[in-house]
Amino acid sequence: MLSPEEFREKYPEDELAEELPDSPIGSLRDIQYLYGKLYTLATTGGGEYAPYLTPDAASDLEDTGDSLIVVRVDLSEDEPRLAADEHGPIWVTGYSEDQVQDVAHCKYPAARGIDHSVTHQSGQNSDPEKLARYAKERLTKWATDDVVQEAAENHDEGSIIDGLVELGEDEAVLDEIEDALKTALGGESTTALLTVQVQLDEDEGYRWPGELDVFMEAMRQRKLSKLVTKNKADDSSGNATDLVTGEPARTVGTSEDPQNYFLGKQLEKFPGLDIEEAWRTHPIAEDAAVTVMNADTFVEACTYRTFGAKVYYLPYVWGRISATDTRELYKLLYAAETEDDDMTPVERAYGMMDLDFRNAKLRFYVSAVMPHQMSRYDVFGETLNGRLLYPAELARVHNHLVRDTAAFNSTTEWTAPLPTHDNWGLLTGNDKQLHSVSTGWYFHQTFAERDDDDADADDPRIEALVAVLSGDAISVETLLSEYVDRIVAEQTDEEIEGFPSFRVASQFAQLCALATDELDLLSTTGPQKKPITREPTYEKHTMETETEMFATDGGYPPATKLESFIEDTPALAHDEDDSSLNDQRRGAFLLGALVGDIGSYQEYDQERSTTLVDQFPVKSITGSRIKKVTQETIGKTLTYTRQEKKQGPGYPGTKAEHIVERLRETILNPDPDDWKLDTDDLRFYYALGVTYGMNDYKPSSDDADETEEDS
């Protein structure tokens, strides 16, 4: 395959422009056609037959010794005969990249049968007997094939194929081929391409299949014949307007493509399919269909697997593509195919393309495919409007939130509202966040765990990944359900110690990042969860402003920190539009904060093995129980307050008073029996509160380094 520099040298702008589509990209087929065209230009060059060749099929044979076996036929006289010159009837040599166009190999990907071209690829390490059979079949099987014979009858050079057939009918000739081949190989097995050279005139020498139009046309017809007979169709073809070029042509209906769409078994793409009439539903011209099939190399290079699904993230240029843009796109596709760096197409494009090209011209086709069995797939999340903006900006916003805002960073002697940890990817703001987003690991860390080997097309992790890649919104209801399931599972897992506070902090950071105004990646089905979709305003709190607030407040950081966090979190703040729902959510959060605060006190000061955090796990919190849990928690808080006061004078007020007073206002005075907040919403913000409360303290100077949570 040509390097980007070689591609530029071989195809000047005016010549390259002639090879490009006349219309902008408007469908997946258009992208596949463009990819196939670029692959053909980069491997087999231009010309009528170039798209039909399959150079990758035998690329592993290049420069590997006895990898090309040539049956040499002399048709320069009245009677056909085998060659009698210095090379003899069989010439065994090495196959090289320079011979791609000469041997003109067209692979037929089937367990049995012969390749479309007269050139045939042997099985792995075939013995001399089997190779001799393949060599003889160039005359006895390929030349006599019905499609090849029909092509010969309609071609001026048809006599060349007739000469092969005549030779193949002579047993003595076949014996000579076998003996010569075994002698040339010396009894050794090998993997090789087997082909034919023909001499038509003594003065011109022996010519390769790629130099004889009848061989190329016969190869073309054999390949085309397979495009109209898939799934037991007799002839799924007809005259129609080609959906790729827009020109009238003979079209085929069941041709293959790199993603296996629009085949006979894809009933969701072909409702009520009549295989014979498939060309009416999905007409694609013969040559265009073959070019689309050649897109496979680049399509696969821009594909990756995650959650048991195959994600397609195919770059293309918005609008009508120019020669200059084509070179940029080819550079990206070439790197995807040749570089083994475990990067997704998202990361590679972000690193290779300049900002203007990325934002103004580069687009992506995005889809995820869930395979169930051979040729049966579920396709979902399909869009042509994927942009690098969405995953790249999400990674940037997430990192900014964790690194730079007051929600995760303290500007006082007190802790930040939520914890961070160097060993938790979503709590570090590291430079691998784009990889996390683009591979789906971003959601793997926060959603309920599943067996990827038994994943299904309804997997919400895949839906969320495709949404982020394509810029579609994710349902808040889905996020909360997944978050709570993961929290509950970890709290009930006997192998995991303690409350999953880092998990909850990671989930909340993700929720806030998705809600940022630049991305607007959250949606909801009703007004109840609308505040959750709004962007928080934590970045307003700089060190200077918080210092001023603490001074005004009498210098008590916990109270100011709590008030600031609540008011800068839209889902918790006093909401004039529907204050009752935010009051309920805020009540659940404050209850969790008190449980977390007192639970930590019990664990570290009272050295209790079972704390309020264990006594009131997330799965136990419901609207019907929350008032009782609040009463018990406040009661326990007052008990510890009295104990502290008995130990000595100077203990001011109530323990965790900044939480207790707000909690009385939101839960004990209004009656939670009438709350409308659903259970997932209630439980998540309770869990967030527990995380907040456990992280609400003033670190001492001799505190040990925080240990990694067992997860």
Side-chain angles (χ1 to χ4, degrees), residues 446-447 474-487 507-508 511 528-529 532 585 677-685:
T446 58
F447 280 33
I474 305 169
S475 162
V476 167
E477 289 79 3
T478 296
L479 287 175
L480 294 183
S481 174
E482 290 296 310
Y483 290 170
V484 170
D485 284 351
R486 183 67 173 265
I487 296 167
Q507 292 171 335
F508 186 69
L511 189 67
Q528 188 182 74
K529 305 235 177 344
I532 303 177
R585 195 175 288 117
L677 210 61
D678 65 58
T679 303
D680 286 334
D681 199 336
L682 191 74
R683 288 176 173 173
F684 177 72
Y685 282 92

PDB file of all heavy atoms in Angstrom, residues 446-447 474-487 507-508 511 528-529 532 585 677-685:
ATOM      1  N   THR A 446     -18.672   3.120  35.545  1.00  0.00           N
ATOM      2  CA  THR A 446     -19.780   3.692  36.316  1.00  0.00           C
ATOM      3  C   THR A 446     -21.090   2.928  36.194  1.00  0.00           C
ATOM      4  O   THR A 446     -21.919   2.989  37.095  1.00  0.00           O
ATOM      5  CB  THR A 446     -20.034   5.144  35.864  1.00  0.00           C
ATOM      6  OG1 THR A 446     -20.319   5.149  34.449  1.00  0.00           O
ATOM      7  CG2 THR A 446     -18.821   6.021  36.140  1.00  0.00           C
ATOM      8  N   PHE A 447     -21.291   2.219  35.091  1.00  0.00           N
ATOM      9  CA  PHE A 447     -22.541   1.492  34.880  1.00  0.00           C
ATOM     10  C   PHE A 447     -22.491   0.135  35.571  1.00  0.00           C
ATOM     11  O   PHE A 447     -21.439  -0.345  35.965  1.00  0.00           O
ATOM     12  CB  PHE A 447     -22.793   1.291  33.386  1.00  0.00           C
ATOM     13  CG  PHE A 447     -23.363   2.497  32.683  1.00  0.00           C
ATOM     14  CD1 PHE A 447     -23.019   3.791  33.074  1.00  0.00           C
ATOM     15  CD2 PHE A 447     -24.222   2.354  31.614  1.00  0.00           C
ATOM     16  CE1 PHE A 447     -23.522   4.904  32.424  1.00  0.00           C
ATOM     17  CE2 PHE A 447     -24.735   3.460  30.953  1.00  0.00           C
ATOM     18  CZ  PHE A 447     -24.387   4.734  31.358  1.00  0.00           C
ATOM     19  N   ILE A 474     -27.986  11.293  26.301  1.00  0.00           N
ATOM     20  CA  ILE A 474     -28.197  10.085  27.080  1.00  0.00           C
ATOM     21  C   ILE A 474     -29.288  10.362  28.108  1.00  0.00           C
ATOM     22  O   ILE A 474     -29.314  11.424  28.732  1.00  0.00           O
ATOM     23  CB  ILE A 474     -26.900   9.664  27.804  1.00  0.00           C
ATOM     24  CG1 ILE A 474     -25.756   9.511  26.804  1.00  0.00           C
ATOM     25  CG2 ILE A 474     -27.098   8.376  28.594  1.00  0.00           C
ATOM     26  CD1 ILE A 474     -24.394   9.356  27.466  1.00  0.00           C
ATOM     27  N   SER A 475     -30.154   9.421  28.302  1.00  0.00           N
ATOM     28  CA  SER A 475     -31.242   9.588  29.244  1.00  0.00           C
ATOM     29  C   SER A 475     -30.727   9.630  30.681  1.00  0.00           C
ATOM     30  O   SER A 475     -29.989   8.735  31.113  1.00  0.00           O
ATOM     31  CB  SER A 475     -32.239   8.438  29.084  1.00  0.00           C
ATOM     32  OG  SER A 475     -33.076   8.319  30.206  1.00  0.00           O
ATOM     33  N   VAL A 476     -31.123  10.655  31.434  1.00  0.00           N
ATOM     34  CA  VAL A 476     -30.762  10.740  32.850  1.00  0.00           C
ATOM     35  C   VAL A 476     -31.326   9.550  33.604  1.00  0.00           C
ATOM     36  O   VAL A 476     -30.685   9.007  34.514  1.00  0.00           O
ATOM     37  CB  VAL A 476     -31.283  12.059  33.459  1.00  0.00           C
ATOM     38  CG1 VAL A 476     -31.212  12.016  34.973  1.00  0.00           C
ATOM     39  CG2 VAL A 476     -30.486  13.229  32.934  1.00  0.00           C
ATOM     40  N   GLU A 477     -32.520   9.134  33.227  1.00  0.00           N
ATOM     41  CA  GLU A 477     -33.134   7.990  33.897  1.00  0.00           C
ATOM     42  C   GLU A 477     -32.271   6.742  33.752  1.00  0.00           C
ATOM     43  O   GLU A 477     -32.110   5.969  34.714  1.00  0.00           O
ATOM     44  CB  GLU A 477     -34.532   7.736  33.320  1.00  0.00           C
ATOM     45  CG  GLU A 477     -35.576   8.763  33.676  1.00  0.00           C
ATOM     46  CD  GLU A 477     -35.506  10.054  32.865  1.00  0.00           C
ATOM     47  OE1 GLU A 477     -34.658  10.138  31.948  1.00  0.00           O
ATOM     48  OE2 GLU A 477     -36.277  10.973  33.130  1.00  0.00           O
ATOM     49  N   THR A 478     -31.703   6.542  32.558  1.00  0.00           N
ATOM     50  CA  THR A 478     -30.816   5.397  32.339  1.00  0.00           C
ATOM     51  C   THR A 478     -29.569   5.506  33.210  1.00  0.00           C
ATOM     52  O   THR A 478     -29.145   4.535  33.835  1.00  0.00           O
ATOM     53  CB  THR A 478     -30.410   5.310  30.864  1.00  0.00           C
ATOM     54  OG1 THR A 478     -31.575   5.071  30.065  1.00  0.00           O
ATOM     55  CG2 THR A 478     -29.406   4.187  30.630  1.00  0.00           C
ATOM     56  N   LEU A 479     -28.972   6.689  33.249  1.00  0.00           N
ATOM     57  CA  LEU A 479     -27.764   6.880  34.051  1.00  0.00           C
ATOM     58  C   LEU A 479     -28.013   6.578  35.524  1.00  0.00           C
ATOM     59  O   LEU A 479     -27.256   5.836  36.158  1.00  0.00           O
ATOM     60  CB  LEU A 479     -27.257   8.310  33.906  1.00  0.00           C
ATOM     61  CG  LEU A 479     -26.595   8.692  32.584  1.00  0.00           C
ATOM     62  CD1 LEU A 479     -26.269  10.176  32.578  1.00  0.00           C
ATOM     63  CD2 LEU A 479     -25.336   7.889  32.342  1.00  0.00           C
ATOM     64  N   LEU A 480     -29.064   7.138  36.091  1.00  0.00           N
ATOM     65  CA  LEU A 480     -29.329   6.927  37.516  1.00  0.00           C
ATOM     66  C   LEU A 480     -29.599   5.465  37.820  1.00  0.00           C
ATOM     67  O   LEU A 480     -29.142   4.937  38.847  1.00  0.00           O
ATOM     68  CB  LEU A 480     -30.515   7.788  37.962  1.00  0.00           C
ATOM     69  CG  LEU A 480     -30.307   9.301  37.918  1.00  0.00           C
ATOM     70  CD1 LEU A 480     -31.533  10.027  38.456  1.00  0.00           C
ATOM     71  CD2 LEU A 480     -29.077   9.721  38.710  1.00  0.00           C
ATOM     72  N   SER A 481     -30.330   4.811  36.933  1.00  0.00           N
ATOM     73  CA  SER A 481     -30.610   3.379  37.136  1.00  0.00           C
ATOM     74  C   SER A 481     -29.316   2.569  37.140  1.00  0.00           C
ATOM     75  O   SER A 481     -29.112   1.700  37.999  1.00  0.00           O
ATOM     76  CB  SER A 481     -31.554   2.881  36.041  1.00  0.00           C
ATOM     77  OG  SER A 481     -31.732   1.482  36.129  1.00  0.00           O
ATOM     78  N   GLU A 482     -28.427   2.860  36.164  1.00  0.00           N
ATOM     79  CA  GLU A 482     -27.159   2.140  36.087  1.00  0.00           C
ATOM     80  C   GLU A 482     -26.263   2.458  37.280  1.00  0.00           C
ATOM     81  O   GLU A 482     -25.629   1.569  37.853  1.00  0.00           O
ATOM     82  CB  GLU A 482     -26.444   2.497  34.784  1.00  0.00           C
ATOM     83  CG  GLU A 482     -27.105   1.937  33.544  1.00  0.00           C
ATOM     84  CD  GLU A 482     -27.100   0.424  33.524  1.00  0.00           C
ATOM     85  OE1 GLU A 482     -26.026  -0.167  33.731  1.00  0.00           O
ATOM     86  OE2 GLU A 482     -28.171  -0.168  33.319  1.00  0.00           O
ATOM     87  N   TYR A 483     -26.219   3.721  37.656  1.00  0.00           N
ATOM     88  CA  TYR A 483     -25.387   4.133  38.779  1.00  0.00           C
ATOM     89  C   TYR A 483     -25.813   3.411  40.059  1.00  0.00           C
ATOM     90  O   TYR A 483     -24.985   2.878  40.811  1.00  0.00           O
ATOM     91  CB  TYR A 483     -25.493   5.640  39.009  1.00  0.00           C
ATOM     92  CG  TYR A 483     -24.846   6.513  37.954  1.00  0.00           C
ATOM     93  CD1 TYR A 483     -25.045   7.887  37.950  1.00  0.00           C
ATOM     94  CD2 TYR A 483     -24.030   5.978  36.961  1.00  0.00           C
ATOM     95  CE1 TYR A 483     -24.453   8.714  37.006  1.00  0.00           C
ATOM     96  CE2 TYR A 483     -23.441   6.791  36.003  1.00  0.00           C
ATOM     97  CZ  TYR A 483     -23.659   8.160  36.030  1.00  0.00           C
ATOM     98  OH  TYR A 483     -23.072   8.965  35.089  1.00  0.00           O
ATOM     99  N   VAL A 484     -27.113   3.440  40.330  1.00  0.00           N
ATOM    100  CA  VAL A 484     -27.608   2.843  41.567  1.00  0.00           C
ATOM    101  C   VAL A 484     -27.392   1.331  41.574  1.00  0.00           C
ATOM    102  O   VAL A 484     -27.005   0.753  42.597  1.00  0.00           O
ATOM    103  CB  VAL A 484     -29.096   3.198  41.773  1.00  0.00           C
ATOM    104  CG1 VAL A 484     -29.700   2.398  42.927  1.00  0.00           C
ATOM    105  CG2 VAL A 484     -29.256   4.689  42.033  1.00  0.00           C
ATOM    106  N   ASP A 485     -27.614   0.682  40.436  1.00  0.00           N
ATOM    107  CA  ASP A 485     -27.374  -0.767  40.368  1.00  0.00           C
ATOM    108  C   ASP A 485     -25.924  -1.094  40.702  1.00  0.00           C
ATOM    109  O   ASP A 485     -25.636  -2.073  41.401  1.00  0.00           O
ATOM    110  CB  ASP A 485     -27.712  -1.287  38.968  1.00  0.00           C
ATOM    111  CG  ASP A 485     -29.209  -1.408  38.737  1.00  0.00           C
ATOM    112  OD1 ASP A 485     -29.966  -1.244  39.714  1.00  0.00           O
ATOM    113  OD2 ASP A 485     -29.614  -1.654  37.580  1.00  0.00           O
ATOM    114  N   ARG A 486     -24.986  -0.279  40.200  1.00  0.00           N
ATOM    115  CA  ARG A 486     -23.565  -0.531  40.466  1.00  0.00           C
ATOM    116  C   ARG A 486     -23.248  -0.295  41.948  1.00  0.00           C
ATOM    117  O   ARG A 486     -22.516  -1.082  42.571  1.00  0.00           O
ATOM    118  CB  ARG A 486     -22.722   0.389  39.590  1.00  0.00           C
ATOM    119  CG  ARG A 486     -21.197   0.195  39.715  1.00  0.00           C
ATOM    120  CD  ARG A 486     -20.763  -1.160  39.176  1.00  0.00           C
ATOM    121  NE  ARG A 486     -19.324  -1.288  39.136  1.00  0.00           N
ATOM    122  CZ  ARG A 486     -18.567  -1.033  38.063  1.00  0.00           C
ATOM    123  NH1 ARG A 486     -19.135  -0.610  36.936  1.00  0.00           N
ATOM    124  NH2 ARG A 486     -17.266  -1.212  38.098  1.00  0.00           N
ATOM    125  N   ILE A 487     -23.803   0.769  42.527  1.00  0.00           N
ATOM    126  CA  ILE A 487     -23.545   1.075  43.934  1.00  0.00           C
ATOM    127  C   ILE A 487     -24.086  -0.034  44.826  1.00  0.00           C
ATOM    128  O   ILE A 487     -23.401  -0.521  45.734  1.00  0.00           O
ATOM    129  CB  ILE A 487     -24.183   2.428  44.315  1.00  0.00           C
ATOM    130  CG1 ILE A 487     -23.536   3.571  43.527  1.00  0.00           C
ATOM    131  CG2 ILE A 487     -24.050   2.681  45.812  1.00  0.00           C
ATOM    132  CD1 ILE A 487     -24.304   4.876  43.610  1.00  0.00           C
ATOM    133  N   GLN A 507     -19.110   8.622  39.316  1.00  0.00           N
ATOM    134  CA  GLN A 507     -20.401   8.730  38.642  1.00  0.00           C
ATOM    135  C   GLN A 507     -20.881  10.176  38.612  1.00  0.00           C
ATOM    136  O   GLN A 507     -21.381  10.660  37.585  1.00  0.00           O
ATOM    137  CB  GLN A 507     -21.424   7.842  39.358  1.00  0.00           C
ATOM    138  CG  GLN A 507     -21.148   6.360  39.218  1.00  0.00           C
ATOM    139  CD  GLN A 507     -22.031   5.514  40.114  1.00  0.00           C
ATOM    140  OE1 GLN A 507     -22.522   5.981  41.146  1.00  0.00           O
ATOM    141  NE2 GLN A 507     -22.237   4.260  39.737  1.00  0.00           N
ATOM    142  N   PHE A 508     -20.726  10.870  39.727  1.00  0.00           N
ATOM    143  CA  PHE A 508     -21.187  12.252  39.774  1.00  0.00           C
ATOM    144  C   PHE A 508     -20.356  13.150  38.858  1.00  0.00           C
ATOM    145  O   PHE A 508     -20.896  14.041  38.188  1.00  0.00           O
ATOM    146  CB  PHE A 508     -21.134  12.771  41.208  1.00  0.00           C
ATOM    147  CG  PHE A 508     -21.731  14.134  41.357  1.00  0.00           C
ATOM    148  CD1 PHE A 508     -23.091  14.330  41.207  1.00  0.00           C
ATOM    149  CD2 PHE A 508     -20.930  15.238  41.636  1.00  0.00           C
ATOM    150  CE1 PHE A 508     -23.654  15.599  41.337  1.00  0.00           C
ATOM    151  CE2 PHE A 508     -21.477  16.499  41.760  1.00  0.00           C
ATOM    152  CZ  PHE A 508     -22.844  16.684  41.613  1.00  0.00           C
ATOM    153  N   LEU A 511     -21.686  12.553  35.449  1.00  0.00           N
ATOM    154  CA  LEU A 511     -22.995  13.181  35.283  1.00  0.00           C
ATOM    155  C   LEU A 511     -22.849  14.682  35.033  1.00  0.00           C
ATOM    156  O   LEU A 511     -23.506  15.244  34.143  1.00  0.00           O
ATOM    157  CB  LEU A 511     -23.822  12.928  36.550  1.00  0.00           C
ATOM    158  CG  LEU A 511     -25.300  13.306  36.519  1.00  0.00           C
ATOM    159  CD1 LEU A 511     -26.057  12.418  35.551  1.00  0.00           C
ATOM    160  CD2 LEU A 511     -25.900  13.192  37.915  1.00  0.00           C
ATOM    161  N   GLN A 528     -39.294  16.323  36.085  1.00  0.00           N
ATOM    162  CA  GLN A 528     -38.773  15.934  37.388  1.00  0.00           C
ATOM    163  C   GLN A 528     -37.250  15.938  37.441  1.00  0.00           C
ATOM    164  O   GLN A 528     -36.637  16.348  38.416  1.00  0.00           O
ATOM    165  CB  GLN A 528     -39.303  14.539  37.765  1.00  0.00           C
ATOM    166  CG  GLN A 528     -38.979  14.125  39.196  1.00  0.00           C
ATOM    167  CD  GLN A 528     -39.473  12.729  39.514  1.00  0.00           C
ATOM    168  OE1 GLN A 528     -38.903  11.746  39.073  1.00  0.00           O
ATOM    169  NE2 GLN A 528     -40.552  12.653  40.284  1.00  0.00           N
ATOM    170  N   LYS A 529     -36.628  15.481  36.341  1.00  0.00           N
ATOM    171  CA  LYS A 529     -35.170  15.357  36.330  1.00  0.00           C
ATOM    172  C   LYS A 529     -34.487  16.471  35.534  1.00  0.00           C
ATOM    173  O   LYS A 529     -33.292  16.416  35.290  1.00  0.00           O
ATOM    174  CB  LYS A 529     -34.772  14.004  35.737  1.00  0.00           C
ATOM    175  CG  LYS A 529     -35.425  12.816  36.440  1.00  0.00           C
ATOM    176  CD  LYS A 529     -34.425  11.858  36.911  1.00  0.00           C
ATOM    177  CE  LYS A 529     -34.964  10.677  37.679  1.00  0.00           C
ATOM    178  NZ  LYS A 529     -36.312  10.731  38.188  1.00  0.00           N
ATOM    179  N   ILE A 532     -31.191  18.007  36.771  1.00  0.00           N
ATOM    180  CA  ILE A 532     -29.981  17.177  36.681  1.00  0.00           C
ATOM    181  C   ILE A 532     -29.274  17.399  35.353  1.00  0.00           C
ATOM    182  O   ILE A 532     -28.052  17.217  35.242  1.00  0.00           O
ATOM    183  CB  ILE A 532     -30.343  15.689  36.857  1.00  0.00           C
ATOM    184  CG1 ILE A 532     -31.070  15.465  38.180  1.00  0.00           C
ATOM    185  CG2 ILE A 532     -29.094  14.803  36.815  1.00  0.00           C
ATOM    186  CD1 ILE A 532     -31.533  14.039  38.397  1.00  0.00           C
ATOM    187  N   ARG A 585     -34.831  15.926  46.653  1.00  0.00           N
ATOM    188  CA  ARG A 585     -33.505  15.427  46.277  1.00  0.00           C
ATOM    189  C   ARG A 585     -32.456  15.941  47.264  1.00  0.00           C
ATOM    190  O   ARG A 585     -31.551  15.202  47.668  1.00  0.00           O
ATOM    191  CB  ARG A 585     -33.201  15.885  44.849  1.00  0.00           C
ATOM    192  CG  ARG A 585     -32.045  15.158  44.186  1.00  0.00           C
ATOM    193  CD  ARG A 585     -31.910  15.612  42.745  1.00  0.00           C
ATOM    194  NE  ARG A 585     -32.970  15.116  41.885  1.00  0.00           N
ATOM    195  CZ  ARG A 585     -33.844  15.872  41.247  1.00  0.00           C
ATOM    196  NH1 ARG A 585     -33.807  17.200  41.374  1.00  0.00           N
ATOM    197  NH2 ARG A 585     -34.771  15.338  40.486  1.00  0.00           N
ATOM    198  N   LEU A 677     -40.337  11.893  44.182  1.00  0.00           N
ATOM    199  CA  LEU A 677     -39.034  11.506  43.634  1.00  0.00           C
ATOM    200  C   LEU A 677     -38.960   9.989  43.495  1.00  0.00           C
ATOM    201  O   LEU A 677     -39.290   9.263  44.441  1.00  0.00           O
ATOM    202  CB  LEU A 677     -37.923  11.996  44.570  1.00  0.00           C
ATOM    203  CG  LEU A 677     -36.569  12.360  43.954  1.00  0.00           C
ATOM    204  CD1 LEU A 677     -36.723  13.487  42.959  1.00  0.00           C
ATOM    205  CD2 LEU A 677     -35.598  12.750  45.069  1.00  0.00           C
ATOM    206  N   ASP A 678     -38.540   9.493  42.302  1.00  0.00           N
ATOM    207  CA  ASP A 678     -38.480   8.035  42.131  1.00  0.00           C
ATOM    208  C   ASP A 678     -37.298   7.455  42.886  1.00  0.00           C
ATOM    209  O   ASP A 678     -36.381   8.169  43.319  1.00  0.00           O
ATOM    210  CB  ASP A 678     -38.437   7.650  40.651  1.00  0.00           C
ATOM    211  CG  ASP A 678     -37.181   8.116  39.938  1.00  0.00           C
ATOM    212  OD1 ASP A 678     -36.072   7.741  40.377  1.00  0.00           O
ATOM    213  OD2 ASP A 678     -37.295   8.855  38.949  1.00  0.00           O
ATOM    214  N   THR A 679     -37.303   6.148  43.027  1.00  0.00           N
ATOM    215  CA  THR A 679     -36.347   5.474  43.914  1.00  0.00           C
ATOM    216  C   THR A 679     -34.906   5.632  43.460  1.00  0.00           C
ATOM    217  O   THR A 679     -34.010   5.869  44.281  1.00  0.00           O
ATOM    218  CB  THR A 679     -36.702   3.979  44.035  1.00  0.00           C
ATOM    219  OG1 THR A 679     -38.050   3.861  44.505  1.00  0.00           O
ATOM    220  CG2 THR A 679     -35.769   3.282  45.014  1.00  0.00           C
ATOM    221  N   ASP A 680     -34.620   5.506  42.148  1.00  0.00           N
ATOM    222  CA  ASP A 680     -33.240   5.643  41.670  1.00  0.00           C
ATOM    223  C   ASP A 680     -32.697   7.038  41.965  1.00  0.00           C
ATOM    224  O   ASP A 680     -31.543   7.201  42.381  1.00  0.00           O
ATOM    225  CB  ASP A 680     -33.160   5.360  40.165  1.00  0.00           C
ATOM    226  CG  ASP A 680     -33.285   3.883  39.849  1.00  0.00           C
ATOM    227  OD1 ASP A 680     -32.953   3.061  40.717  1.00  0.00           O
ATOM    228  OD2 ASP A 680     -33.709   3.558  38.723  1.00  0.00           O
ATOM    229  N   ASP A 681     -33.527   8.032  41.731  1.00  0.00           N
ATOM    230  CA  ASP A 681     -33.135   9.419  42.001  1.00  0.00           C
ATOM    231  C   ASP A 681     -32.818   9.581  43.485  1.00  0.00           C
ATOM    232  O   ASP A 681     -31.766  10.116  43.880  1.00  0.00           O
ATOM    233  CB  ASP A 681     -34.281  10.338  41.585  1.00  0.00           C
ATOM    234  CG  ASP A 681     -33.843  11.781  41.374  1.00  0.00           C
ATOM    235  OD1 ASP A 681     -32.819  12.171  41.960  1.00  0.00           O
ATOM    236  OD2 ASP A 681     -34.532  12.503  40.637  1.00  0.00           O
ATOM    237  N   LEU A 682     -33.724   9.130  44.315  1.00  0.00           N
ATOM    238  CA  LEU A 682     -33.562   9.227  45.764  1.00  0.00           C
ATOM    239  C   LEU A 682     -32.282   8.538  46.227  1.00  0.00           C
ATOM    240  O   LEU A 682     -31.490   9.089  47.000  1.00  0.00           O
ATOM    241  CB  LEU A 682     -34.787   8.575  46.425  1.00  0.00           C
ATOM    242  CG  LEU A 682     -34.979   8.764  47.926  1.00  0.00           C
ATOM    243  CD1 LEU A 682     -35.437  10.184  48.208  1.00  0.00           C
ATOM    244  CD2 LEU A 682     -36.014   7.759  48.440  1.00  0.00           C
ATOM    245  N   ARG A 683     -32.066   7.330  45.753  1.00  0.00           N
ATOM    246  CA  ARG A 683     -30.917   6.541  46.199  1.00  0.00           C
ATOM    247  C   ARG A 683     -29.595   7.101  45.714  1.00  0.00           C
ATOM    248  O   ARG A 683     -28.603   7.072  46.449  1.00  0.00           O
ATOM    249  CB  ARG A 683     -31.078   5.084  45.732  1.00  0.00           C
ATOM    250  CG  ARG A 683     -32.145   4.332  46.498  1.00  0.00           C
ATOM    251  CD  ARG A 683     -32.364   2.933  45.966  1.00  0.00           C
ATOM    252  NE  ARG A 683     -33.275   2.190  46.836  1.00  0.00           N
ATOM    253  CZ  ARG A 683     -33.763   0.983  46.551  1.00  0.00           C
ATOM    254  NH1 ARG A 683     -33.419   0.373  45.420  1.00  0.00           N
ATOM    255  NH2 ARG A 683     -34.570   0.386  47.399  1.00  0.00           N
ATOM    256  N   PHE A 684     -29.553   7.597  44.469  1.00  0.00           N
ATOM    257  CA  PHE A 684     -28.280   8.125  43.979  1.00  0.00           C
ATOM    258  C   PHE A 684     -27.848   9.345  44.783  1.00  0.00           C
ATOM    259  O   PHE A 684     -26.677   9.465  45.179  1.00  0.00           O
ATOM    260  CB  PHE A 684     -28.340   8.478  42.496  1.00  0.00           C
ATOM    261  CG  PHE A 684     -27.063   9.088  42.002  1.00  0.00           C
ATOM    262  CD1 PHE A 684     -25.926   8.316  41.847  1.00  0.00           C
ATOM    263  CD2 PHE A 684     -26.965  10.451  41.751  1.00  0.00           C
ATOM    264  CE1 PHE A 684     -24.717   8.880  41.434  1.00  0.00           C
ATOM    265  CE2 PHE A 684     -25.771  11.023  41.331  1.00  0.00           C
ATOM    266  CZ  PHE A 684     -24.646  10.229  41.168  1.00  0.00           C
ATOM    267  N   TYR A 685     -28.773  10.270  45.028  1.00  0.00           N
ATOM    268  CA  TYR A 685     -28.376  11.476  45.750  1.00  0.00           C
ATOM    269  C   TYR A 685     -28.157  11.200  47.237  1.00  0.00           C
ATOM    270  O   TYR A 685     -27.395  11.916  47.897  1.00  0.00           O
ATOM    271  CB  TYR A 685     -29.383  12.601  45.494  1.00  0.00           C
ATOM    272  CG  TYR A 685     -29.131  13.209  44.131  1.00  0.00           C
ATOM    273  CD1 TYR A 685     -29.794  12.749  42.996  1.00  0.00           C
ATOM    274  CD2 TYR A 685     -28.148  14.178  43.960  1.00  0.00           C
ATOM    275  CE1 TYR A 685     -29.507  13.261  41.740  1.00  0.00           C
ATOM    276  CE2 TYR A 685     -27.864  14.704  42.712  1.00  0.00           C
ATOM    277  CZ  TYR A 685     -28.531  14.237  41.602  1.00  0.00           C
ATOM    278  OH  TYR A 685     -28.224  14.732  40.357  1.00  0.00           O
TER     279      TYR A 685
END
